[in-house]
Amino acid sequence: MARRKNAFSGNLSDVDLRLMRVFKTVIECGGLSAAQTELGVGRSTISRQLSDLEARLGLRLCHRGRSGFSLTQQGRQTVEYIDQLLQSIEDFKSNMAGISNRLVGKIEIGMIDYTVSDTANPLVGAIRQFKELAPGVTVNLMSGTPNEVERGVIDGHLHLGIVPDYHRHASLRYTHLYDETVGLYCGGDHPLALAIADGMALTEKEVYKHALVYRSYHESDKLRDKKQRFPMGSSAYQTEAVLALVQSGVYLGFFPSHCLHSMAGKNHEILPETFRYASSICAVWRADRNQSIVLQDFLKLLCKKQKR
């Protein structure tokens, strides 16, 4: 196969990196029009910058025009490589700054939703202390399902994840942070809620008759064992959705006990001696980031006991 005359030579300049960041921003915003505010320039300028990047790389990266914005197959592959490159640059800057005892850069952290309200979670305290230690480092947070957070760590978008410890990937490193207490709850005018309010004693057999909210992703073996005898009533990805479904009085649901303070109305825990359990929450990061000075300094604060 003949080599393309305009194939990428492998040499990179500051201009190339700037164009790559423009390309990444357009993708994150979902198109040129949406990226105008983020980039502070007009659509025509962004289109020209993308054309410059395509010419530089010798590839057609995306389709753009009246039909909308979409990536080509080569564009999708290029995005992955650009993400890796830009992340490597950030890691290099952070590590070099660490050598001179001047920590700079950023840490991207992913966590499952409704975790920071748990007083056992050391994240908030670690961020506060880290800001005093390294004022030049920005800490960014996002929340998602355990699968989304773990995938973000694996593909490099996240430096650190905080997730339940129920299955492990060989390429990742894990350390225990704290235990989260989880119980089975009912609320609203659910028959079990009314029975508990009237002081009636419940039996497991009676509880298992009622429909339960299931999670729309892989859960721990411990929780699946507890759920398997319940009829499936609904499914949800986020803890907030589970809370809403329980508050409706239609379904039972498992969720962390520290979430109760955020729920309106009267909610009741069901047979805690039977259904309550502890879920191990851990910090997870990629093994090849063990040399990141910024990340390791943050982990030291996160993993030590501290008061919120």
Side-chain angles (χ1 to χ4, degrees):
M1 180 181 294
R3 181 180 175 87
R4 293 192 307 270
K5 293 181 179 181
N6 60 342
F8 179 53
S9 66
N11 297 318
L12 284 174
S13 67
D14 289 342
V15 173
D16 295 325
L17 295 176
R18 179 173 61 81
L19 294 176
M20 289 178 185
R21 291 188 172 96
V22 169
F23 180 45
K24 183 177 178 182
T25 300
V26 171
I27 295 169
E28 291 173 346
C29 291
L32 279 68
S33 297
Q36 291 180 92
T37 301
E38 185 73 20
L39 294 171
V41 295
R43 181 188 175 96
S44 60
T45 299
I46 298 173
S47 182
R48 185 175 66 253
Q49 291 172 327
L50 294 182
S51 296
D52 290 344
L53 179 61
E54 289 175 328
R56 187 75 176 90
L57 299 179
L59 299 171
R60 177 68 169 175
L61 299 176
C62 57
H63 303 292
R64 49 196 184 273
R66 293 182 179 179
S67 60
F69 175 85
S70 63
L71 291 174
T72 64
Q73 182 177 355
Q74 292 176 323
R76 286 192 292 271
Q77 293 177 310
T78 302
V79 170
E80 296 181 17
Y81 299 143
I82 287 177
D83 282 343
Q84 294 172 12
L85 172 63
L86 296 181
Q87 189 56 63
S88 296
I89 292 173
E90 288 296 326
D91 290 344
F92 176 79
K93 288 164 56 179
S94 297
N95 290 336
M96 292 306 297
I99 294 176
S100 62
N101 295 319
R102 185 176 61 85
L103 296 178
V104 297
K106 62 182 179 179
I107 298 180
E108 301 285 349
I109 300 175
M111 59 185 180
I112 52 175
D113 65 325
Y114 270 88
T115 54
V116 294
S117 60
D118 192 336
T119 57
N121 188 344
L123 179 61
V124 172
I127 292 174
R128 181 171 55 245
Q129 293 185 28
F130 190 70
K131 193 61 179 177
E132 297 175 358
L133 172 69
V137 178
T138 301
V139 178
N140 297 325
L141 295 176
M142 62 80 69
S143 66
T145 67
N147 293 343
E148 289 171 339
V149 173
E150 201 165 56
R151 177 53 53 189
V153 174
I154 291 173
D155 66 23
H157 288 93
L158 298 174
H159 298 92
L160 180 68
I162 298 177
V163 294
D165 186 8
Y166 52 72
H167 70 279
R168 297 193 171 193
H169 289 267
S171 64
L172 302 180
R173 295 292 179 265
Y174 297 77
T175 187
H176 175 79
L177 292 179
Y178 65 98
D179 289 325
E180 181 180 67
T181 301
V182 179
L184 176 64
Y185 294 89
C186 59
D189 292 328
H190 192 281
L192 295 187
L194 298 178
I196 293 173
D198 288 339
M200 296 175 59
L202 301 179
T203 64
E204 288 184 47
K205 183 177 181 180
E206 183 178 4
V207 172
Y208 281 125
K209 294 178 181 178
H210 296 275
L212 181 75
V213 179
Y214 279 68
R215 292 298 182 114
S216 302
Y217 52 78
H218 176 79
E219 294 181 296
S220 68
D221 293 338
K222 183 185 298 184
L223 186 51
R224 287 205 306 273
D225 289 343
K226 290 181 179 293
K227 286 186 172 184
Q228 64 183 355
R229 291 177 59 185
F230 288 94
M232 181 174 177
S234 183
S235 61
Y237 279 98
Q238 302 285 358
T239 298
E240 186 175 12
V242 178
L243 302 184
L245 291 166
V246 170
Q247 282 186 294
S248 73
V250 179
Y251 305 108
L252 306 181
F254 282 94
F255 57 77
S257 58
H258 63 81
C259 296
L260 277 174
H261 77 277
S262 64
M263 299 179 67
K266 195 70 174 177
N267 302 280
H268 306 274
E269 185 173 8
I270 302 170
L271 299 180
E273 66 280 2
T274 301
F275 296 108
R276 184 187 295 175
Y277 70 98
S279 175
S280 176
I281 305 297
C282 63
V284 56
W285 64 98
R286 253 177 30 183
D288 59 5
R289 292 194 186 277
N290 277 337
Q291 302 305 313
S292 170
I293 297 173
V294 172
L295 178 59
Q296 292 306 313
D297 281 356
F298 185 81
L299 281 170
K300 289 176 184 177
L301 296 175
L302 182 67
C303 296
K304 74 175 184 179
K305 286 187 174 292
Q306 53 187 295
K307 294 182 179 180
R308 292 273 304 268

